Amino acid sequence: MNGSVQFWMNFYRQRYCVRKNTAWHHQSMRGQVMLNKPLTGLFKRHTLMMCGVAALALSSCNDTRDWAPERPDRPWQPTQDMAAQNGLVMPPGVGGFSAPHINNSAAVVAQHVANVPMTGQALSLVELIDIAQRTNPQTRMAWEAARQAAIGVGISSAGLLPQVTLSAMGGFQRMAFPLPNYLSQRGYLTSNGGAFFPKLELDYLLFDFGRTRAQIKEAQQGALAADYGFTQVHQALILAVTKAYYAYQAAQSMSRSAKRAEDNTALLLRAAQSRHAYGEGTVVDVAIAQRNAAQANFEFERAQDAEHTAKRGLLAAMGLPATMTLNIRPMDGQHLPNSLPTDVQALINAALQSRPDVLADLAKLRASDAALSAAKASLAPRIALAGVVQAYIGTLKTYGTQQSAPASSIAQPEESAFLQVNWPIYQGGARANSIHLAESRKKQAEAALTQDRVTVEREVADSQDELGTALAQVKSARVLCSTAQTAFEGAAASYQHGVGTLTDASNAATALYQAQAALAVSEAQVYTNAAVLAHATGRLVSAAGTNVQDDMAGP
């Protein structure tokens, strides 16, 4: 750096300084060096330009924003190189954290966000999840958090790069000094001076016993944990939308069942009125039939309200306004398996390898271990190279002497270089307490990882049991619904032909409504529980992950 400054100064002298009797005259008078003003201005401008270019080049080589996910609407997955570098092994058969993809999804999002009505286009679960990942603010918040952690890696890595600081100071000063009368008739001396002092400082770390590298590793592991947290937010969002979707489907089925129950009670009411008109029934039968019809109408209105509430819950899970109009496609009929995989431990092992929260805990543990190493390294000395390149550019005019002298000017560089060693001896126990704090945080991270492992094991086991129970309930509800339909048809026909009672027909209608409602709830619950199992094992990465048949296939 010193040679570079000297080179530029010599270059300017040779190019812009001409011989005697020119307008820009470099002269020497009484040991004082005078430089022309154009030379001084060019030296300052080119020096600042060189410093700016150097600072820009150094800053551009430490951009670590690529540690963060590329976009907020898609889950993140580590590359093979990153996984190998950080010791993370993805389980076999897991394709990674991929989101659902649909054609022209951007247009769909724009239409819904802008509340533009869609002409007859029904949205499937895959499309609903895709819209939720684009519009829900939770994904944007998690993405920004991951970006902030990635930027922190660059901040930590800056400690290994040269630290260059440019500073400058300039101004004007008037000074007065007393002098004996034989030197000055006035008895004092005055000087008017103006100066400009640019300074370029260098601080370059040579060795600090691994403290800075440990801090960089801590930041890298923290960024990795934030990336896994970003994926965890996406998986939680997918599960929330899936649950809300099947809850809405169940509410729609309940509403349809309530409507059929209303029609059945209306049929019995007409039969009771007809029998009473022919003298075969009583007024009590007609009143009972009217009461049952009113009760069925009340249940239908309540089922419709529950359907509207479930739809608003789905919109809320997607991050959309509750007043938005959506045409939602009903779930396709899926074949339910007859049995579940019995190897729960295999599901648990797959979950421990692919759950983003567990992998985030592992990264946090490694970050705390790196923080402990950095705290211990802070007890060692820090060795750095320090250098300063500065210049004194100014003029000085003195008054009060017997012989008037012209103003003197100067524009000269100054350089210095040092090997600096910093070794704090005593800081009131701050370093020791920093080590104790890092050790405590490491133990906390270990406990968090252990707790999450226990939680994962419990969630996988519980979700597997709940899915098995839901499958059994669906089978029972289907038999119940079929037999209740047969019983109602027989009881209603018997009452219409005068061989049955209204009480039997009414009980059969109530039992049919309850059986249909139980079937609707159990079918929605089995699909929801399948999604919960996929989420518990870390495999709910898209709407395809909610497929019951795939989840029953095992890891």
Side-chain angles (χ1 to χ4, degrees):
M1 182 66 71
N2 296 343
S4 176
V5 173
Q6 188 64 37
F7 168 78
W8 282 107
M9 291 186 64
N10 294 334
F11 173 78
Y12 292 137
R13 290 195 184 101
Q14 295 173 5
R15 183 172 182 179
Y16 296 103
C17 296
V18 295
R19 295 184 179 272
K20 192 174 180 180
N21 299 326
T22 59
W24 299 346
H25 185 197
H26 175 273
Q27 56 181 326
S28 174
M29 178 180 295
R30 297 178 184 178
Q32 297 177 347
V33 179
M34 298 184 62
L35 293 179
N36 51 72
K37 293 184 178 179
L39 170 61
T40 302
L42 286 171
F43 175 78
K44 291 188 292 184
R45 289 196 299 268
H46 283 266
T47 301
L48 293 176
M49 181 181 65
M50 291 172 57
C51 295
V53 172
L56 181 62
L58 289 175
S59 61
S60 62
C61 67
N62 192 28
D63 190 354
T64 57
R65 287 176 296 177
D66 55 349
W67 277 74
E70 295 181 358
R71 49 192 297 183
D73 59 340
R74 290 293 179 267
W76 171 87
Q77 63 175 352
T79 61
Q80 296 294 335
D81 295 338
M82 182 178 295
Q85 180 180 358
N86 293 276
L88 303 174
V89 179
M90 298 300 294
V94 176
F97 305 122
S98 59
H101 175 73
I102 58 174
N103 294 327
N104 200 22
S105 58
V108 175
V109 175
Q111 287 178 331
H112 288 306
V113 174
N115 202 11
V116 177
M118 302 176 63
T119 58
Q121 181 179 358
L123 300 177
S124 64
L125 177 58
V126 176
E127 294 168 324
L128 295 175
I129 291 176
D130 185 81
I131 294 175
Q133 288 178 313
R134 296 173 182 269
T135 59
N136 196 297
Q138 295 179 1
T139 57
R140 171 67 65 170
M141 293 167 57
W143 185 58
E144 293 296 343
R147 283 169 52 86
Q148 294 167 14
I151 295 173
V153 177
I155 296 176
S156 300
S157 302
L160 295 178
L161 298 176
Q163 307 297 309
V164 181
T165 303
L166 176 65
S167 61
M169 181 178 64
F172 171 81
Q173 185 178 20
R174 175 179 173 81
M175 298 176 291
F177 302 94
L179 287 178
N181 291 332
Y182 65 86
L183 294 178
S184 176
Q185 295 179 357
R186 297 188 304 178
Y188 63 91
L189 179 71
T190 60
S191 297
N192 296 334
F196 175 68
F197 302 94
K199 180 189 292 186
L200 192 65
E201 298 177 276
L202 170 67
D203 184 10
Y204 189 21
L205 175 64
L206 298 180
F207 189 66
D208 65 350
F209 294 88
R211 179 184 181 184
T212 302
R213 295 191 180 277
Q215 292 173 343
I216 295 174
K217 183 178 180 181
E218 178 187 4
Q220 290 175 344
Q221 294 298 323
L224 191 62
D227 291 342
Y228 281 119
F230 172 72
T231 298
Q232 184 180 1
V233 169
H234 270 276
Q235 291 192 356
L237 178 62
I238 293 173
L239 180 61
V241 174
T242 301
K243 285 183 175 181
Y245 171 79
Y246 287 125
Y248 175 64
Q249 296 295 323
Q252 284 186 317
S253 299
M254 292 282 292
S255 181
R256 290 191 294 267
S257 299
K259 179 61 178 176
R260 288 192 292 267
E262 185 183 30
D263 295 340
N264 292 335
T265 55
L267 175 64
L268 295 179
L269 174 59
R270 291 193 298 271
Q273 292 173 341
S274 177
R275 293 189 62 182
H276 179 264
Y278 287 99
E280 298 177 357
T282 64
V283 178
V284 176
D285 290 342
V286 175
I288 293 176
Q290 290 175 341
R291 182 200 64 186
N292 293 339
Q295 180 67 31
N297 181 262
F298 174 80
E299 295 294 340
F300 174 67
E301 295 294 337
R302 187 166 64 176
Q304 280 191 319
D305 181 69
E307 179 182 350
H308 298 160
T309 302
K311 188 172 184 178
R312 288 191 293 268
L314 175 59
L315 292 172
M318 297 171 61
L320 298 176
T323 57
M324 181 171 291
T325 302
L326 285 183
N327 186 12
I328 300 175
R329 185 184 307 169
M331 59 182 179
D332 300 329
Q334 299 183 17
H335 173 69
L336 299 179
N338 296 323
S339 61
L340 289 172
T342 57
D343 192 357
V344 181
Q345 189 60 45
L347 295 176
I348 293 176
N349 293 338
L352 293 176
Q353 291 181 347
S354 59
R355 281 275 294 257
D357 51 347
V358 176
L359 297 178
D361 287 340
L362 180 60
K364 292 178 182 178
L365 177 59
R366 292 174 176 172
S368 64
D369 186 65
L372 178 59
S373 300
K376 292 180 179 179
S378 65
L379 298 176
R382 179 182 184 273
I383 304 174
L385 176 65
V388 177
V389 177
Q390 58 186 7
Y392 179 14
I393 305 172
T395 60
L396 180 65
K397 177 67 175 177
T398 304
Y399 304 91
T401 59
Q402 295 180 356
Q403 295 181 354
S404 177
S408 60
S409 300
I410 184 173
Q412 290 294 323
E414 299 176 358
E415 305 91 8
S416 59
F418 306 94
L419 187 65
Q420 185 177 3
V421 179
N422 293 330
W423 194 354
I425 302 302
Y426 179 73
Q427 292 184 333
R431 300 295 178 94
N433 286 326
S434 297
I435 295 176
H436 297 330
L437 180 62
E439 291 175 343
S440 177
R441 288 176 175 173
K442 181 180 179 180
K443 293 178 181 178
Q444 182 184 14
E446 292 175 349
L449 178 59
T450 302
Q451 176 63 34
D452 283 347
R453 287 176 61 93
V454 174
T455 302
V456 168
E457 293 176 356
R458 179 183 58 81
E459 289 180 354
V460 172
D462 290 347
S463 58
Q464 202 246 11
D465 289 341
E466 291 172 356
L467 181 56
T469 302
L471 285 172
Q473 290 176 345
V474 167
K475 296 177 182 178
S476 300
R478 286 177 175 175
V479 175
L480 178 63
C481 188
S482 177
T483 55
Q485 181 68 37
T486 302
F488 170 74
E489 292 174 356
S494 298
Y495 178 69
Q496 288 176 341
H497 292 85
V499 295
T501 64
L502 179 62
T503 302
D504 293 339
S506 299
N507 292 337
T510 302
L512 176 60
Y513 169 68
Q514 294 176 347
Q516 291 174 342
L519 179 60
V521 172
S522 61
E523 285 183 344
Q525 191 63 41
V526 74
Y527 295 126
T528 301
N529 289 348
V532 172
L533 177 60
H535 179 267
T537 55
R539 298 165 60 189
L540 186 61
V541 297
S542 67
T546 62
N547 186 278
V548 178
Q549 187 75 26
D550 294 340
D551 289 316
M552 298 306 103

